[in-house]
Each structure stands twice: as structure tokens, then as C-alpha cells.
Amino acid sequence: MKVIKILGTGCSNCSLTEKMVSEVVSENNIEAKVIKVTDIQDIVSYNVLSLPTIVINEEVVLTGKVPNKDDIKKLLNV
Amino acid sequence: MFEWLQDFSDWVASDVFGLEATSKLSEVLHFFIYDTVKILSLVFVVIFFMGIVNSYFPVESVRNYLSRKKLYGLEYLMASLFGVVTPFCSCSSVPLFIGFVKGGIPLGVTFAFLVTSPLVNEVAIGLFIGLFGLKTTIIYVISGILLGTVSGIILQQLSLERYLTPWVQQILENSQKETEKFQKQSTAFKQKLPFIWKESKSILKGIFIYIIIGVAVGAFMHGYVPEGFFEQYLSKDNLFAVPLATILAVPMYSGASGILPIVQVLVAKGVPLGTAIAFMMAVVGISLPEAMLLKKVMTFKLIAIFFSVVTLCIIISGYIFNVIL
């Protein structure tokens, strides 16, 4: 089971990213838990400079842009 | 380049709406169509072009460059220049700030970046070219870069580290020990293009309505406010005009793309360009939403000092423009 974290302070791009990831996860029946991280101290502990950021199993896989569904599928190896 | 658009606007106003070419309403409609089409297309072109430039300056490389290189005082100018080409959504300002602090980059240099980045951005540049022409745009861009540089240098002299929130000070103390570099993702240029195209479209979509409203208001003022109307209130001789315009602009933010078309009409009706540029810099460069985000890393006092220094620099540049332009 994968743990997917979306790091974002709550701007529209961050929410959009979370929505897309959740959709991809449910559409493809992926066993994963999607967690939104909004606490700024938690966010900076991942050493990222721009948001939104996607973290899969504690590894930063995407920063600073809103992905499309194909990008997300690729990141999740679907 | 835009003659066809003049003709098109004429045609819509006279043939489609059947308005007398000399009537006020025809003038308003003509202005609205001409400005909307011209500005939207220019903004899109600039956003797309800047998107391509941006893709070569990911913020991660900028940060690594600034923390690695010894630049002998030029780092303020470099940070300011990077601010022009590096995109940054205001929601990223905190992680970005922390990342810079961790890299041992002086606070003043970080501020230089934080000032210029929103001030000279792709949307503002696109709007400026469309509304004021290339010459004024170049003046705006250069002064934006200098403004960031000077503000950064001043802020550095004030040793503001003690006004950071405690957990950031902690990071600052540990910054020397950290040597890690930020990963950057590299993608081939061809793969980037569709993404940049999509990005540009979504940026334009976000500001579209503001531009339309701004141009509509501007068009009515263009038609119905007499020439030279503002000269009596906001002439160059009025010393309070620049500070007043700047301070009024500080709380305005979200409609920056809507305010610029209105300001263009104000200039046409007699507001001095320097006063107008100061106003626009304050609208674009200083935003309260950004202040709210920065509260997580800075004490209120530091935010107040930061904004005051930038506001002061904007007011001074407004005066300078009024003298030289």
C-alpha cells in the first residue's frame, strides 16, 4: 500500500492537485492512502522550494506544478 | 501590427451595432474591442514566451547557484534578475524562503528575490506592452529589478534575522551544516512545450475576467472622462500624489490585471506616468495575501519593515520617473 502525500498550503493549485490524485487513485483501484499536508513545518522538512508537491512513500516525486492525470498515473506506475 | 484590429473594431462599432463613428458610445465600444483583443493576445504571447524561459531557470537551480557562488555584492542583482525569470506562486513563498535560508543565502538577497518575483512577472509584462508600449515596459522592468536590488541591500543592513519566528531562527543556525542540494527534474524541451502551453492557457483563464472588467471600466472612462481631467488633482507639482497613490495601492492585489487597463486611461487623461508606475508597482508587488503567508516565518514587525522599505523605494522611484519621463 502506497502513502501519497500532497504538500500544499491551501492555494487553488494545491487543492486541484489533491483532487486529481484522489481521482486517479479511485478510478484505477490503487491501494493507496492520500494525505494532505498543510503544516508548513512538515512541508519544509521535505526540502522543497515550490508547491504543490507530491510525495509517494516519503519520496518527493513532483514539485511546483499541477500534474495532469497521465503524469499522476506515470508516477504511480499504472 | 494591430491595424487589422483597428479596422475590425471600426467594423463592429459601425456595421454590427450601427453606431455613428463620432458618437461617444461608438468610441467606448471601439476602445473596448481593440484593447481586449490586443491585450489578451499580447499577454498570452508573453506568458508563453516567459514559460519557455522559466523552464530553464527552475527555482531549485537558482537557489543552488545563489548559495554556492561567491558573488561579491552582485548577489542582490542576481537574485533580483532570477526573480524576473523564475515563476513562483505566492503559496510557495514560505517553502522558498526556508529553502533560501537553509542554503545560507543572506536574508537581504532572499528579499531581493521576493520583491522582484511578483513585481516583474509575465502577466504584468504582457499587460504593460499592450497598454503602454515597449519603452515604458522596459523602464518598468529595469526599475523593478533595481527596486528589488536596492530593497534587498537596505534590508540586509538592518540585520533582521532576530525578527524571524523562532523555528526559522533554528533553521538559520543549522544552515551552515546543511550541504544538501535540491533535486531538479530535467525534462526534454519538446516534452515541456505542451505543459507550458497548458500552463499559459490556465494563467490566462485565471486573469481573463479581470482584464475584461478592467478594460470595460477603462473604455467608459476613455469615452466619458474629459481630457486632462486628473491633471488638476494629480499633477507633477503635487508632492503628495506619489505617496498617496502608492499607499492606496498596497491593499489592492487580486485585481492587478484589472487595474492596469484602468491606470492606462488615467495616464491618458493626465495622471503623470511616474505616479501611475508607482501605483502599479505597489499593486503588483506588495500584497496582503502574501503577508498572511509570510507570517509563518516572520514576526509582524519584520513584515512591517519589509513592506515599508519596499513601499518607500516605490515612492522614491515614482518621484524619479516624474522628473525624468
Side-chain angles (χ1 to χ4, degrees), chain A residues 9 11 13-14 40-41 43-45 47-51 61-63 65-68, chain B residues 59-60 63 89 91-92 94-96 98-100 102 167 180 182 185 195 198 293 296:
Chain A
T9 46
C11 65
N13 284 345
C14 306
I40 198 70
Q41 270 163 279
I43 292 176
V44 299
S45 71
N47 283 327
V48 290
L49 290 179
S50 42
L51 303 175
V61 293
L62 183 134
T63 65
K65 60 180 180 188
V66 179
N68 59 33
Chain B
V59 71
E60 288 79 8
R63 181 263 186 202
C89 136
C91 63
S92 300
V94 170
L96 191 124
I98 299 294
F100 275 41
K102 271 188 181 169
W167 69 278
E180 100 255 38
F182 282 76
Q185 298 144 337
F195 176 75
K198 203 186 84 187
L293 289 165
K296 287 171 184 150

Side-chain angles (χ1 to χ4, degrees), chain B residues 65-66 70-81 109 149:
Chain B
Y65 180 86
L66 285 173
K70 289 258 171 296
L71 294 161
Y72 310 103
L74 274 180
E75 58 267 36
Y76 297 94
L77 182 63
M78 290 307 289
S80 193
L81 283 171
V109 177
T149 311

Side-chain angles (χ1 to χ4, degrees), chain B:
Chain B
M1 185 176 151
F2 285 100
E3 272 116 28
W4 62 272
L5 191 53
Q6 285 285 8
D7 296 340
F8 174 74
S9 312
D10 282 338
W11 175 76
V12 174
S14 61
D15 290 5
V16 178
F17 286 90
L19 296 165
E20 287 279 341
T22 48
S23 77
K24 285 259 188 269
L25 206 56
S26 153
E27 210 179 301
V28 168
L29 190 65
H30 183 279
F31 185 91
F32 177 73
I33 297 166
Y34 181 76
D35 259 35
T36 319
V37 177
K38 183 171 117 182
I39 291 167
L40 287 177
S41 41
L42 274 170
V43 167
F44 187 77
V45 169
V46 175
I47 294 174
F48 185 68
F49 175 75
M50 288 287 276
I52 294 173
V53 179
N54 285 340
S55 68
Y56 288 96
F57 290 91
V59 71
E60 288 79 8
S61 328
V62 168
R63 181 263 186 202
N64 291 343
Y65 180 86
L66 285 173
S67 66
R68 224 176 28 239
K69 291 259 165 51
K70 289 258 171 296
L71 294 161
Y72 310 103
L74 274 180
E75 58 267 36
Y76 297 94
L77 182 63
M78 290 307 289
S80 193
L81 283 171
F82 280 134
V84 176
V85 290
T86 304
F88 113 94
C89 136
S90 66
C91 63
S92 300
S93 55
V94 170
L96 191 124
F97 187 85
I98 299 294
F100 275 41
V101 169
K102 271 188 181 169
I105 297 170
L107 217 46
V109 177
T110 308
F111 276 126
F113 181 88
L114 280 180
V115 171
T116 314
S117 197
L119 196 61
V120 189
N121 64 56
E122 62 277 19
V123 176
I125 293 176
L127 281 164
F128 254 85
I129 298 176
L131 293 164
F132 297 97
L134 210 53
K135 191 183 148 209
T136 315
T137 309
I138 291 168
I139 294 172
Y140 176 82
V141 170
I142 292 175
S143 45
I145 293 166
L146 289 179
L147 195 87
T149 311
V150 173
S151 308
I153 293 171
I154 296 173
L155 288 161
Q156 182 62 27
Q157 301 311 312
L158 301 175
S159 349
L160 298 163
E161 286 78 5
R162 61 208 143 110
Y163 298 123
L164 294 168
T165 47
W167 69 278
V168 183
Q169 296 201 14
Q170 200 74 45
I171 294 175
L172 193 66
E173 273 165 34
N174 296 331
S175 70
Q176 309 307 329
K177 295 174 213 154
E178 301 213 24
T179 46
E180 100 255 38
K181 274 195 197 158
F182 282 76
Q183 290 286 316
K184 60 170 194 219
Q185 298 144 337
S186 46
T187 344
F189 181 65
K190 263 193 177 159
Q191 286 173 299
K192 280 179 193 159
L193 272 183
F195 176 75
I196 297 170
W197 180 258
K198 203 186 84 187
E199 255 316 84
S200 309
K201 273 201 303 197
S202 91
I203 294 175
L204 194 71
K205 227 171 87 188
I207 57 171
F208 182 79
I209 186 73
Y210 295 109
I211 294 181
I212 297 286
I213 294 171
V215 175
V217 174
F220 269 97
M221 289 169 57
H222 172 81
Y224 291 98
V225 176
E227 294 293 323
F229 177 77
F230 292 99
E231 240 152 305
Q232 43 190 320
Y233 306 108
L234 288 165
S235 76
K236 286 186 182 183
D237 306 329
N238 185 344
L239 280 180
F240 295 107
V242 173
L244 191 71
T246 309
I247 289 161
L248 270 178
V250 171
M252 297 186 198
Y253 176 67
S254 54
S257 23
I259 285 171
L260 294 192
I262 299 173
V263 171
Q264 189 239 344
V265 178
L266 295 182
V267 171
K269 302 287 183 189
V271 173
L273 196 56
T275 312
I277 289 185
F279 177 80
M280 288 178 293
M281 281 187 160
V283 170
V284 182
I286 303 179
S287 76
L288 289 182
E290 197 191 331
M292 297 312 291
L293 289 165
L294 290 175
K295 256 202 81 63
K296 287 171 184 150
V297 288
M298 300 177 192
T299 55
F300 180 73
K301 195 166 178 186
L302 179 50
I303 298 176
I305 295 172
F306 171 40
F307 278 18
S308 312
V309 169
V310 178
T311 307
L312 203 69
C313 289
I314 291 176
I315 292 173
I316 293 168
S317 57
Y319 283 128
I320 296 174
F321 285 133
N322 277 347
V323 174
I324 59 169
L325 287 177

